[in-house]
Amino acid sequence: MTIATATPESGPDAPVVNVVITGSHALVTINNPPVNALSVHVRKGLMDALHRVNEAGCTTAALVCSGRTFVAGGDISEFAGPPPLPHLPDVLDAIEASTTPFIAVMHGTVLGGGLELALACAWRIADEKTRFGLPEVNLGLIPGAGGTQRLPRVIGLERAARMAANGKPVSARTFEEFGGLDLVFDGDPMAAIASFRDALPARPANTSTRPVDDADLTALKAEITKSAKGSNAPMIALETTALAATLPFAEGSRIERQTHLDLRDSAQSRALRRLFFASRSVTRPARLKAIEPAPVNHVAIVGGGLMGAGIAAASLAAGHRVTLLERDTESAEAGQARVEAIIARDLASGRISDDKAEARRAAFSAGADYTAAADADIAIEAVFEDPDVKRAVFTKLAEVMSEEALIATNTSYLDPNLISDGMPGPGRFLGLHFFSPANIMKLVEVVGTAATSDQTMATAFAFARGLGKIPVETGVCDGFIGNRILSAYRRQADYMVADGASPYAVDEAMHGLGMPLGPYELQDLTGLQISWANRKRQLAAGTWPGRYVDIADKLCELGRQGRGSAARKGWYDHTEMAGTRDPEVEAMVVAWRVERGITQQTFTTDEIVMRIMAAIVNEAHLILDEGIATSDTAIDIVWTEGYGFPKHLGGPMFWAEETGMDTIRDAFAAIEAQSPGSWKAADVFKS
Ligand code: NAI
């Protein structure tokens, strides 16, 4: 639903807060596109509006927002400095104490400051599709304008604490059940306001003066500790909300405000806000801004395996027509079944409706005849990681498709220049590297070849954004941004295992930093054979950098290729229970060291983390030095979105700056001494 500014002063030059008084009723409209954020001019406008309706002696004031949503939050760009006057808590206190009671009339997403504003109104009514939430924790913050203190007084302590701590929005129906709404309507908000006023309930006591029943939050605390994974804001949000049960509103709000302001300066919040802004700028490269992307309707995917099926599902979800091409009819049917399984999962989980599922099925077809791709606007190849197979696919696509259409490879490590070399229409080829599972993971690395046109890049970025992805530009190198850093990460992990650390201790240490999986757990999950094949390729080409540790190769030779392999073993044993430590592997590692006469060293948890991070940060700087990444934030987006690096630590580059480059330099010197000749130093680490 969209609300047009139905006032004489509507249009782009309309005031950010507009007041129309009809008889004894006022209509106050916030008009601050795109999401009606509570910027300083809106706060000022609300104060002025409040005075006007009170002076006019209005009996009610309905507060609506123009455009696609009610207030969807504060103005994050103001968070970097001291907040300009008037402060939001004062505006909300004034609205709550106003002689003319306010009715919040909501649609869209009522988030953060938007929900705090609604809570200060006497009544709240909402369109049935509205969603409500306190997402501040996602930026390392807690509400700062009474949200944690008013919400429990409206919906009860436990529910409020959950909403504040997990940051997830709830639907209008749920919020109504919680007691957060006086009316849910479907349709014209002006009609809803009129009928609500006709049978206006008695003005309720101010939210801030209501008592709060205490609740046992022990279970919720345990839940939040687990889900927060080292991010501190969720528990602070929970504890601050809990103050509502014991402190008067004014005292609780004062503590909330101070905590909010302190958190604004915290490293975690700065990290999260930087990523938030970067995920917008990195996905829209400045040099492509002037280029109109070509429309994409029909998407062809070649290869219906793990990745192809995921990319097909993501394209269908974005409303594209999708043709899946496989080697033969039998493989096409298998690919179709994989795509169908994803649609069925989305349906079963309630993520999509029957109608949506049907629409996706209707827009999808699979086969082995390339002429079906003739009118596709983009083709994405996700066949085996073999340059000859990929070249053959590109050749066939280039034959049937228009030279205006894009042809992309999803290769993990191969050079897209070589895959497309010598083919007609070189400007249309590129790499689009999705992450697994491709229907869920947001990161896409966009790899231009030497010949890729800016038009192709602009269309590829728009296409990826349209899939709800976060596209990041990367130059060509082995593994692009993400997997190249991953290789350095694994290399240093292997060096420590070779010299004395248990692989399980390495995984544990990385958990301590906040990584959801350690390097060995990750290999078990993705399969050891992929990186094995890549290592063999690099060894054969003579491009393996430095010392080579072949413990993982030995596991592969034993058939221990990870959780999905026939043996259901890798670094861990998954036969009975996923991820059980295996004494056989530990014994094998020890024997491997003895055979090579390696004197076993001990590494503390801290040393493991610092040495791995030194390898990661060095590789990240090399990537910048070589111009493979366009900025340090691009690297941080890749590692937080694609590899599970904790967002509250901001990504490897932000983490390094916060930790101190001198400390990382020492750790880098230690890994150079540990494996001489194995590391090329980035400029910042050159002595
Ligand atoms: P997969 O083995 O699951 O699927 C490959 C599919 O390609 C199979 O269904 C096969 O029948 C089909 N295929 C092979 N040759 C073909 C041809 N000539 N014409 C049409 N179809 C053909 O492999 P997966 O994991 O989906 O990987 C595909 C590509 O994506 C590889 O280049 C891989 O490096 C890359 N990739 C893989 C990721 C992963 O996590 N598995 C992540 C990102 C990229």
Side-chain angles (χ1 to χ4, degrees), residues 302-308 325-327 331 338 370 381-385 389-390 393 410-412 433-436 530:
V302 189
L306 178 74
M307 292 307 291
L325 294 172
E326 260 287 353
R327 293 183 277 183
S331 311
R338 280 187 201 101
Y370 276 65
E381 145 313 281
V383 300
F384 300 140
E385 185 77 345
V389 180
K390 287 187 186 293
V393 168
N410 183 46
T411 182
S412 305
H433 181 218
F434 289 78
F435 285 69
S436 176
I530 299 179

PDB file of all heavy atoms in Angstrom, residues 302-308 325-327 331 338 370 381-385 389-390 393 410-412 433-436 530, ligand 1:
ATOM      1  N   VAL A 302      23.132 -22.991 -17.439  1.00  0.00           N
ATOM      2  CA  VAL A 302      23.658 -24.251 -17.977  1.00  0.00           C
ATOM      3  C   VAL A 302      24.321 -25.011 -16.840  1.00  0.00           C
ATOM      4  O   VAL A 302      25.237 -24.496 -16.195  1.00  0.00           O
ATOM      5  CB  VAL A 302      24.664 -24.009 -19.121  1.00  0.00           C
ATOM      6  CG1 VAL A 302      25.011 -25.352 -19.784  1.00  0.00           C
ATOM      7  CG2 VAL A 302      24.101 -23.046 -20.144  1.00  0.00           C
ATOM      8  N   GLY A 303      23.863 -26.240 -16.616  1.00  0.00           N
ATOM      9  CA  GLY A 303      24.339 -27.045 -15.492  1.00  0.00           C
ATOM     10  C   GLY A 303      23.344 -26.950 -14.350  1.00  0.00           C
ATOM     11  O   GLY A 303      23.185 -25.884 -13.757  1.00  0.00           O
ATOM     12  N   GLY A 304      22.674 -28.046 -14.096  1.00  0.00           N
ATOM     13  CA  GLY A 304      21.640 -28.032 -13.053  1.00  0.00           C
ATOM     14  C   GLY A 304      22.066 -28.780 -11.814  1.00  0.00           C
ATOM     15  O   GLY A 304      21.270 -29.469 -11.175  1.00  0.00           O
ATOM     16  N   GLY A 305      23.359 -28.664 -11.459  1.00  0.00           N
ATOM     17  CA  GLY A 305      23.848 -29.301 -10.230  1.00  0.00           C
ATOM     18  C   GLY A 305      23.535 -28.424  -9.035  1.00  0.00           C
ATOM     19  O   GLY A 305      22.579 -27.630  -9.048  1.00  0.00           O
ATOM     20  N   LEU A 306      24.384 -28.546  -8.013  1.00  0.00           N
ATOM     21  CA  LEU A 306      24.159 -27.783  -6.777  1.00  0.00           C
ATOM     22  C   LEU A 306      24.007 -26.285  -7.054  1.00  0.00           C
ATOM     23  O   LEU A 306      23.033 -25.649  -6.651  1.00  0.00           O
ATOM     24  CB  LEU A 306      25.354 -28.031  -5.850  1.00  0.00           C
ATOM     25  CG  LEU A 306      25.343 -27.281  -4.536  1.00  0.00           C
ATOM     26  CD1 LEU A 306      24.318 -27.890  -3.598  1.00  0.00           C
ATOM     27  CD2 LEU A 306      26.727 -27.315  -3.889  1.00  0.00           C
ATOM     28  N   MET A 307      24.982 -25.716  -7.788  1.00  0.00           N
ATOM     29  CA  MET A 307      24.972 -24.266  -7.995  1.00  0.00           C
ATOM     30  C   MET A 307      23.912 -23.842  -9.012  1.00  0.00           C
ATOM     31  O   MET A 307      23.180 -22.880  -8.801  1.00  0.00           O
ATOM     32  CB  MET A 307      26.357 -23.776  -8.458  1.00  0.00           C
ATOM     33  CG  MET A 307      27.431 -23.895  -7.419  1.00  0.00           C
ATOM     34  SD  MET A 307      27.000 -23.117  -5.849  1.00  0.00           S
ATOM     35  CE  MET A 307      27.024 -21.395  -6.309  1.00  0.00           C
ATOM     36  N   GLY A 308      23.860 -24.558 -10.144  1.00  0.00           N
ATOM     37  CA  GLY A 308      22.911 -24.177 -11.197  1.00  0.00           C
ATOM     38  C   GLY A 308      21.483 -24.170 -10.676  1.00  0.00           C
ATOM     39  O   GLY A 308      20.705 -23.242 -10.954  1.00  0.00           O
ATOM     40  N   LEU A 325      19.632 -25.703 -18.865  1.00  0.00           N
ATOM     41  CA  LEU A 325      20.168 -26.599 -19.890  1.00  0.00           C
ATOM     42  C   LEU A 325      21.152 -27.575 -19.262  1.00  0.00           C
ATOM     43  O   LEU A 325      21.988 -27.177 -18.448  1.00  0.00           O
ATOM     44  CB  LEU A 325      20.870 -25.787 -20.976  1.00  0.00           C
ATOM     45  CG  LEU A 325      19.947 -24.883 -21.790  1.00  0.00           C
ATOM     46  CD1 LEU A 325      20.747 -23.973 -22.704  1.00  0.00           C
ATOM     47  CD2 LEU A 325      18.964 -25.726 -22.611  1.00  0.00           C
ATOM     48  N   GLU A 326      21.024 -28.830 -19.654  1.00  0.00           N
ATOM     49  CA  GLU A 326      21.924 -29.850 -19.110  1.00  0.00           C
ATOM     50  C   GLU A 326      22.526 -30.671 -20.247  1.00  0.00           C
ATOM     51  O   GLU A 326      22.251 -30.442 -21.413  1.00  0.00           O
ATOM     52  CB  GLU A 326      21.154 -30.748 -18.128  1.00  0.00           C
ATOM     53  CG  GLU A 326      21.375 -30.388 -16.663  1.00  0.00           C
ATOM     54  CD  GLU A 326      22.769 -30.788 -16.154  1.00  0.00           C
ATOM     55  OE1 GLU A 326      23.527 -31.469 -16.893  1.00  0.00           O
ATOM     56  OE2 GLU A 326      23.109 -30.408 -15.010  1.00  0.00           O
ATOM     57  N   ARG A 327      23.359 -31.637 -19.867  1.00  0.00           N
ATOM     58  CA  ARG A 327      24.067 -32.452 -20.865  1.00  0.00           C
ATOM     59  C   ARG A 327      23.115 -33.315 -21.671  1.00  0.00           C
ATOM     60  O   ARG A 327      23.300 -33.558 -22.837  1.00  0.00           O
ATOM     61  CB  ARG A 327      25.047 -33.387 -20.156  1.00  0.00           C
ATOM     62  CG  ARG A 327      26.160 -32.673 -19.489  1.00  0.00           C
ATOM     63  CD  ARG A 327      27.091 -33.667 -18.881  1.00  0.00           C
ATOM     64  NE  ARG A 327      26.610 -34.114 -17.571  1.00  0.00           N
ATOM     65  CZ  ARG A 327      27.263 -34.946 -16.793  1.00  0.00           C
ATOM     66  NH1 ARG A 327      28.389 -35.486 -17.210  1.00  0.00           N
ATOM     67  NH2 ARG A 327      26.789 -35.272 -15.615  1.00  0.00           N
ATOM     68  N   SER A 331      19.945 -35.775 -17.162  1.00  0.00           N
ATOM     69  CA  SER A 331      20.532 -34.766 -16.255  1.00  0.00           C
ATOM     70  C   SER A 331      19.599 -33.566 -16.117  1.00  0.00           C
ATOM     71  O   SER A 331      19.532 -32.942 -15.047  1.00  0.00           O
ATOM     72  CB  SER A 331      21.877 -34.273 -16.779  1.00  0.00           C
ATOM     73  OG  SER A 331      22.704 -35.332 -17.125  1.00  0.00           O
ATOM     74  N   ARG A 338      15.960 -30.822  -8.649  1.00  0.00           N
ATOM     75  CA  ARG A 338      16.645 -30.003  -7.634  1.00  0.00           C
ATOM     76  C   ARG A 338      15.954 -28.650  -7.466  1.00  0.00           C
ATOM     77  O   ARG A 338      15.767 -28.167  -6.355  1.00  0.00           O
ATOM     78  CB  ARG A 338      18.102 -29.771  -8.029  1.00  0.00           C
ATOM     79  CG  ARG A 338      18.980 -30.937  -7.704  1.00  0.00           C
ATOM     80  CD  ARG A 338      20.459 -30.653  -7.924  1.00  0.00           C
ATOM     81  NE  ARG A 338      21.111 -31.936  -8.076  1.00  0.00           N
ATOM     82  CZ  ARG A 338      21.477 -32.474  -9.237  1.00  0.00           C
ATOM     83  NH1 ARG A 338      21.323 -31.796 -10.353  1.00  0.00           N
ATOM     84  NH2 ARG A 338      21.999 -33.673  -9.289  1.00  0.00           N
ATOM     85  N   TYR A 370      20.034 -26.304 -26.750  1.00  0.00           N
ATOM     86  CA  TYR A 370      20.507 -24.932 -26.540  1.00  0.00           C
ATOM     87  C   TYR A 370      19.681 -23.873 -27.266  1.00  0.00           C
ATOM     88  O   TYR A 370      19.749 -22.701 -26.899  1.00  0.00           O
ATOM     89  CB  TYR A 370      21.983 -24.801 -26.966  1.00  0.00           C
ATOM     90  CG  TYR A 370      22.943 -25.221 -25.887  1.00  0.00           C
ATOM     91  CD1 TYR A 370      22.986 -26.541 -25.449  1.00  0.00           C
ATOM     92  CD2 TYR A 370      23.797 -24.302 -25.285  1.00  0.00           C
ATOM     93  CE1 TYR A 370      23.849 -26.936 -24.450  1.00  0.00           C
ATOM     94  CE2 TYR A 370      24.676 -24.690 -24.283  1.00  0.00           C
ATOM     95  CZ  TYR A 370      24.693 -26.009 -23.868  1.00  0.00           C
ATOM     96  OH  TYR A 370      25.549 -26.392 -22.867  1.00  0.00           O
ATOM     97  N   GLU A 381      26.652 -20.073 -16.769  1.00  0.00           N
ATOM     98  CA  GLU A 381      27.126 -21.447 -16.847  1.00  0.00           C
ATOM     99  C   GLU A 381      27.598 -21.891 -15.478  1.00  0.00           C
ATOM    100  O   GLU A 381      28.345 -21.172 -14.807  1.00  0.00           O
ATOM    101  CB  GLU A 381      28.156 -21.456 -17.959  1.00  0.00           C
ATOM    102  CG  GLU A 381      29.404 -22.307 -17.949  1.00  0.00           C
ATOM    103  CD  GLU A 381      30.238 -22.343 -16.721  1.00  0.00           C
ATOM    104  OE1 GLU A 381      31.021 -21.427 -16.459  1.00  0.00           O
ATOM    105  OE2 GLU A 381      30.092 -23.346 -16.018  1.00  0.00           O
ATOM    106  N   ALA A 382      27.106 -23.072 -15.035  1.00  0.00           N
ATOM    107  CA  ALA A 382      27.537 -23.639 -13.744  1.00  0.00           C
ATOM    108  C   ALA A 382      27.791 -25.129 -13.935  1.00  0.00           C
ATOM    109  O   ALA A 382      27.218 -25.967 -13.245  1.00  0.00           O
ATOM    110  CB  ALA A 382      26.485 -23.385 -12.669  1.00  0.00           C
ATOM    111  N   VAL A 383      28.624 -25.442 -14.950  1.00  0.00           N
ATOM    112  CA  VAL A 383      28.950 -26.849 -15.211  1.00  0.00           C
ATOM    113  C   VAL A 383      30.221 -27.195 -14.446  1.00  0.00           C
ATOM    114  O   VAL A 383      30.711 -26.403 -13.643  1.00  0.00           O
ATOM    115  CB  VAL A 383      29.102 -27.106 -16.730  1.00  0.00           C
ATOM    116  CG1 VAL A 383      27.800 -26.760 -17.449  1.00  0.00           C
ATOM    117  CG2 VAL A 383      30.256 -26.312 -17.336  1.00  0.00           C
ATOM    118  N   PHE A 384      30.774 -28.389 -14.711  1.00  0.00           N
ATOM    119  CA  PHE A 384      31.952 -28.824 -13.958  1.00  0.00           C
ATOM    120  C   PHE A 384      33.079 -27.794 -14.060  1.00  0.00           C
ATOM    121  O   PHE A 384      33.224 -27.112 -15.067  1.00  0.00           O
ATOM    122  CB  PHE A 384      32.453 -30.171 -14.493  1.00  0.00           C
ATOM    123  CG  PHE A 384      31.436 -31.272 -14.406  1.00  0.00           C
ATOM    124  CD1 PHE A 384      31.300 -32.195 -15.441  1.00  0.00           C
ATOM    125  CD2 PHE A 384      30.626 -31.405 -13.293  1.00  0.00           C
ATOM    126  CE1 PHE A 384      30.363 -33.214 -15.364  1.00  0.00           C
ATOM    127  CE2 PHE A 384      29.681 -32.425 -13.208  1.00  0.00           C
ATOM    128  CZ  PHE A 384      29.550 -33.332 -14.255  1.00  0.00           C
ATOM    129  N   GLU A 385      33.899 -27.753 -13.003  1.00  0.00           N
ATOM    130  CA  GLU A 385      35.012 -26.788 -12.952  1.00  0.00           C
ATOM    131  C   GLU A 385      36.150 -27.297 -13.853  1.00  0.00           C
ATOM    132  O   GLU A 385      37.217 -27.704 -13.375  1.00  0.00           O
ATOM    133  CB  GLU A 385      35.451 -26.624 -11.493  1.00  0.00           C
ATOM    134  CG  GLU A 385      36.505 -25.582 -11.221  1.00  0.00           C
ATOM    135  CD  GLU A 385      36.005 -24.139 -11.224  1.00  0.00           C
ATOM    136  OE1 GLU A 385      34.889 -23.877 -11.708  1.00  0.00           O
ATOM    137  OE2 GLU A 385      36.760 -23.280 -10.749  1.00  0.00           O
ATOM    138  N   VAL A 389      35.362 -28.004 -20.633  1.00  0.00           N
ATOM    139  CA  VAL A 389      33.897 -28.161 -20.610  1.00  0.00           C
ATOM    140  C   VAL A 389      33.248 -26.778 -20.638  1.00  0.00           C
ATOM    141  O   VAL A 389      32.283 -26.527 -21.375  1.00  0.00           O
ATOM    142  CB  VAL A 389      33.455 -28.934 -19.334  1.00  0.00           C
ATOM    143  CG1 VAL A 389      31.943 -29.106 -19.299  1.00  0.00           C
ATOM    144  CG2 VAL A 389      34.135 -30.288 -19.261  1.00  0.00           C
ATOM    145  N   LYS A 390      33.808 -25.859 -19.874  1.00  0.00           N
ATOM    146  CA  LYS A 390      33.220 -24.508 -19.812  1.00  0.00           C
ATOM    147  C   LYS A 390      33.355 -23.794 -21.163  1.00  0.00           C
ATOM    148  O   LYS A 390      32.414 -23.132 -21.610  1.00  0.00           O
ATOM    149  CB  LYS A 390      33.878 -23.691 -18.681  1.00  0.00           C
ATOM    150  CG  LYS A 390      33.439 -24.157 -17.290  1.00  0.00           C
ATOM    151  CD  LYS A 390      33.944 -23.252 -16.195  1.00  0.00           C
ATOM    152  CE  LYS A 390      33.654 -23.749 -14.792  1.00  0.00           C
ATOM    153  NZ  LYS A 390      32.265 -23.783 -14.382  1.00  0.00           N
ATOM    154  N   VAL A 393      30.742 -25.006 -23.548  1.00  0.00           N
ATOM    155  CA  VAL A 393      29.418 -24.444 -23.222  1.00  0.00           C
ATOM    156  C   VAL A 393      29.324 -23.000 -23.716  1.00  0.00           C
ATOM    157  O   VAL A 393      28.342 -22.596 -24.348  1.00  0.00           O
ATOM    158  CB  VAL A 393      29.153 -24.525 -21.699  1.00  0.00           C
ATOM    159  CG1 VAL A 393      27.937 -23.702 -21.310  1.00  0.00           C
ATOM    160  CG2 VAL A 393      28.967 -25.974 -21.268  1.00  0.00           C
ATOM    161  N   ASN A 410      30.156 -19.202 -13.678  1.00  0.00           N
ATOM    162  CA  ASN A 410      30.107 -19.218 -12.213  1.00  0.00           C
ATOM    163  C   ASN A 410      31.392 -19.846 -11.647  1.00  0.00           C
ATOM    164  O   ASN A 410      31.413 -20.301 -10.514  1.00  0.00           O
ATOM    165  CB  ASN A 410      28.880 -20.024 -11.774  1.00  0.00           C
ATOM    166  CG  ASN A 410      28.694 -20.038 -10.267  1.00  0.00           C
ATOM    167  OD1 ASN A 410      28.786 -19.006  -9.623  1.00  0.00           O
ATOM    168  ND2 ASN A 410      28.462 -21.213  -9.696  1.00  0.00           N
ATOM    169  N   THR A 411      32.444 -19.863 -12.457  1.00  0.00           N
ATOM    170  CA  THR A 411      33.661 -20.545 -11.998  1.00  0.00           C
ATOM    171  C   THR A 411      34.149 -20.031 -10.648  1.00  0.00           C
ATOM    172  O   THR A 411      34.039 -18.843 -10.342  1.00  0.00           O
ATOM    173  CB  THR A 411      34.798 -20.395 -13.031  1.00  0.00           C
ATOM    174  OG1 THR A 411      35.930 -21.124 -12.545  1.00  0.00           O
ATOM    175  CG2 THR A 411      35.193 -18.953 -13.266  1.00  0.00           C
ATOM    176  N   SER A 412      34.722 -20.947  -9.860  1.00  0.00           N
ATOM    177  CA  SER A 412      35.248 -20.561  -8.550  1.00  0.00           C
ATOM    178  C   SER A 412      36.678 -20.047  -8.668  1.00  0.00           C
ATOM    179  O   SER A 412      37.087 -19.169  -7.914  1.00  0.00           O
ATOM    180  CB  SER A 412      35.289 -21.764  -7.610  1.00  0.00           C
ATOM    181  OG  SER A 412      34.046 -22.366  -7.508  1.00  0.00           O
ATOM    182  N   HIS A 433      30.168 -15.004  -9.852  1.00  0.00           N
ATOM    183  CA  HIS A 433      30.484 -16.077  -8.909  1.00  0.00           C
ATOM    184  C   HIS A 433      29.523 -16.054  -7.728  1.00  0.00           C
ATOM    185  O   HIS A 433      29.627 -15.210  -6.844  1.00  0.00           O
ATOM    186  CB  HIS A 433      31.943 -15.915  -8.443  1.00  0.00           C
ATOM    187  CG  HIS A 433      32.388 -16.974  -7.505  1.00  0.00           C
ATOM    188  ND1 HIS A 433      33.210 -16.732  -6.425  1.00  0.00           N
ATOM    189  CD2 HIS A 433      32.110 -18.297  -7.460  1.00  0.00           C
ATOM    190  CE1 HIS A 433      33.413 -17.854  -5.774  1.00  0.00           C
ATOM    191  NE2 HIS A 433      32.758 -18.815  -6.383  1.00  0.00           N
ATOM    192  N   PHE A 434      28.573 -16.981  -7.769  1.00  0.00           N
ATOM    193  CA  PHE A 434      27.590 -17.108  -6.682  1.00  0.00           C
ATOM    194  C   PHE A 434      28.181 -17.973  -5.575  1.00  0.00           C
ATOM    195  O   PHE A 434      29.134 -18.712  -5.779  1.00  0.00           O
ATOM    196  CB  PHE A 434      26.298 -17.765  -7.197  1.00  0.00           C
ATOM    197  CG  PHE A 434      25.484 -16.883  -8.103  1.00  0.00           C
ATOM    198  CD1 PHE A 434      25.853 -16.694  -9.429  1.00  0.00           C
ATOM    199  CD2 PHE A 434      24.332 -16.257  -7.650  1.00  0.00           C
ATOM    200  CE1 PHE A 434      25.103 -15.886 -10.276  1.00  0.00           C
ATOM    201  CE2 PHE A 434      23.568 -15.445  -8.479  1.00  0.00           C
ATOM    202  CZ  PHE A 434      23.960 -15.263  -9.803  1.00  0.00           C
ATOM    203  N   PHE A 435      27.551 -17.915  -4.402  1.00  0.00           N
ATOM    204  CA  PHE A 435      28.004 -18.719  -3.267  1.00  0.00           C
ATOM    205  C   PHE A 435      26.925 -19.732  -2.914  1.00  0.00           C
ATOM    206  O   PHE A 435      25.746 -19.529  -3.185  1.00  0.00           O
ATOM    207  CB  PHE A 435      28.352 -17.792  -2.082  1.00  0.00           C
ATOM    208  CG  PHE A 435      29.657 -17.088  -2.331  1.00  0.00           C
ATOM    209  CD1 PHE A 435      29.751 -16.118  -3.320  1.00  0.00           C
ATOM    210  CD2 PHE A 435      30.793 -17.438  -1.634  1.00  0.00           C
ATOM    211  CE1 PHE A 435      30.962 -15.504  -3.612  1.00  0.00           C
ATOM    212  CE2 PHE A 435      32.013 -16.828  -1.908  1.00  0.00           C
ATOM    213  CZ  PHE A 435      32.096 -15.864  -2.897  1.00  0.00           C
ATOM    214  N   SER A 436      27.357 -20.802  -2.294  1.00  0.00           N
ATOM    215  CA  SER A 436      26.440 -21.912  -2.034  1.00  0.00           C
ATOM    216  C   SER A 436      25.832 -21.816  -0.630  1.00  0.00           C
ATOM    217  O   SER A 436      26.573 -21.548   0.322  1.00  0.00           O
ATOM    218  CB  SER A 436      27.218 -23.217  -2.171  1.00  0.00           C
ATOM    219  OG  SER A 436      26.393 -24.295  -1.848  1.00  0.00           O
ATOM    220  N   ILE A 530      37.077 -30.348  -3.752  1.00  0.00           N
ATOM    221  CA  ILE A 530      37.150 -29.127  -4.564  1.00  0.00           C
ATOM    222  C   ILE A 530      38.509 -28.449  -4.385  1.00  0.00           C
ATOM    223  O   ILE A 530      39.211 -28.148  -5.349  1.00  0.00           O
ATOM    224  CB  ILE A 530      36.011 -28.144  -4.188  1.00  0.00           C
ATOM    225  CG1 ILE A 530      34.644 -28.799  -4.445  1.00  0.00           C
ATOM    226  CG2 ILE A 530      36.125 -26.846  -4.972  1.00  0.00           C
ATOM    227  CD1 ILE A 530      33.454 -27.925  -4.081  1.00  0.00           C
TER     228      ILE A 530
HETATM  229  P1  NAI B   1      27.807 -29.984  -9.747  1.00  0.00           P
HETATM  230  O1  NAI B   1      28.720 -31.100 -10.068  1.00  0.00           O
HETATM  231  O2  NAI B   1      26.857 -30.108  -8.623  1.00  0.00           O
HETATM  232  O3  NAI B   1      26.969 -29.584 -11.035  1.00  0.00           O
HETATM  233  C1  NAI B   1      27.511 -29.484 -12.314  1.00  0.00           C
HETATM  234  C2  NAI B   1      26.375 -29.770 -13.291  1.00  0.00           C
HETATM  235  O4  NAI B   1      26.826 -29.431 -14.597  1.00  0.00           O
HETATM  236  C3  NAI B   1      25.955 -31.231 -13.333  1.00  0.00           C
HETATM  237  O5  NAI B   1      24.568 -31.320 -13.124  1.00  0.00           O
HETATM  238  C4  NAI B   1      26.327 -31.676 -14.734  1.00  0.00           C
HETATM  239  O6  NAI B   1      25.425 -32.623 -15.278  1.00  0.00           O
HETATM  240  C5  NAI B   1      26.282 -30.386 -15.499  1.00  0.00           C
HETATM  241  N1  NAI B   1      27.098 -30.379 -16.706  1.00  0.00           N
HETATM  242  C6  NAI B   1      28.343 -30.836 -16.857  1.00  0.00           C
HETATM  243  N2  NAI B   1      28.756 -30.653 -18.111  1.00  0.00           N
HETATM  244  C7  NAI B   1      27.744 -30.044 -18.781  1.00  0.00           C
HETATM  245  C8  NAI B   1      27.567 -29.592 -20.097  1.00  0.00           C
HETATM  246  N3  NAI B   1      28.525 -29.721 -21.001  1.00  0.00           N
HETATM  247  N4  NAI B   1      26.404 -29.028 -20.433  1.00  0.00           N
HETATM  248  C9  NAI B   1      25.430 -28.891 -19.522  1.00  0.00           C
HETATM  249  N5  NAI B   1      25.546 -29.304 -18.252  1.00  0.00           N
HETATM  250  C10 NAI B   1      26.695 -29.872 -17.881  1.00  0.00           C
HETATM  251  O7  NAI B   1      28.781 -28.725  -9.528  1.00  0.00           O
HETATM  252  P2  NAI B   1      28.504 -27.380  -8.718  1.00  0.00           P
HETATM  253  O8  NAI B   1      28.987 -27.540  -7.321  1.00  0.00           O
HETATM  254  O9  NAI B   1      27.137 -26.941  -8.962  1.00  0.00           O
HETATM  255  O10 NAI B   1      29.533 -26.389  -9.404  1.00  0.00           O
HETATM  256  C11 NAI B   1      29.303 -25.854 -10.680  1.00  0.00           C
HETATM  257  C12 NAI B   1      30.240 -24.691 -10.912  1.00  0.00           C
HETATM  258  O11 NAI B   1      30.038 -23.729  -9.903  1.00  0.00           O
HETATM  259  C13 NAI B   1      31.719 -25.038 -10.862  1.00  0.00           C
HETATM  260  O12 NAI B   1      32.417 -24.232 -11.789  1.00  0.00           O
HETATM  261  C14 NAI B   1      32.104 -24.675  -9.445  1.00  0.00           C
HETATM  262  O13 NAI B   1      33.478 -24.376  -9.324  1.00  0.00           O
HETATM  263  C15 NAI B   1      31.263 -23.444  -9.249  1.00  0.00           C
HETATM  264  N6  NAI B   1      30.974 -23.109  -7.861  1.00  0.00           N
HETATM  265  C16 NAI B   1      30.712 -24.076  -6.938  1.00  0.00           C
HETATM  266  C17 NAI B   1      30.426 -23.736  -5.634  1.00  0.00           C
HETATM  267  C18 NAI B   1      30.099 -24.797  -4.627  1.00  0.00           C
HETATM  268  O14 NAI B   1      30.055 -24.481  -3.428  1.00  0.00           O
HETATM  269  N7  NAI B   1      29.861 -26.017  -5.042  1.00  0.00           N
HETATM  270  C19 NAI B   1      30.412 -22.328  -5.186  1.00  0.00           C
HETATM  271  C20 NAI B   1      30.625 -21.388  -6.264  1.00  0.00           C
HETATM  272  C21 NAI B   1      30.931 -21.778  -7.526  1.00  0.00           C
END
